[in-house]
Amino acid sequence: MTGQVLLFGRLKDAFGVASIPLPEGVVTAAALRARLADANPDLSDMLRSRTVRIAVNQTLVTDEAVTPISAKDEIALLPPLSGG
């Protein structure tokens, strides 16, 4: 089973889709951030920014290095909100 990473806000606009496949071999939130930043040089600064938050199963991740992720999880990338 291939997991999906849900995209919101500017990331959804930048990727042009609402979700992308979870890259194979990614097992932590930190690895997901690094893999996506490496694979998308135009978006690297945004993806590496700690203002882009990762949520796993609708809970914001506080320690990406130790937070496991799998294809069974609901994973979302959340850029900072803007508006007024």
Side-chain angles (χ1 to χ4, degrees):
M1 171 169 74
T2 301
Q4 294 291 307
V5 178
L6 305 175
L7 304 170
F8 295 92
R10 290 184 280 168
L11 288 172
K12 180 179 174 183
D13 294 341
F15 277 89
V17 294
S19 66
I20 56 173
L22 178 65
E24 285 197 35
V26 170
V27 296
T28 66
L32 173 63
R33 181 185 296 278
R35 178 82 61 88
L36 291 177
D38 290 345
N40 299 280
D42 294 346
L43 303 174
S44 181
D45 288 343
M46 183 189 324
L47 291 166
R48 291 188 193 283
S49 168
R50 292 297 172 177
T51 60
V52 172
R53 302 291 307 269
I54 299 174
V56 177
N57 299 322
Q58 300 182 6
T59 301
L60 289 174
V61 171
T62 56
D63 189 347
E64 294 180 9
V66 298
T67 300
I69 57 175
S70 75
K72 295 182 264 179
D73 293 320
E74 178 184 85
I75 303 161
L77 293 181
L78 308 166
L81 297 175
S82 63

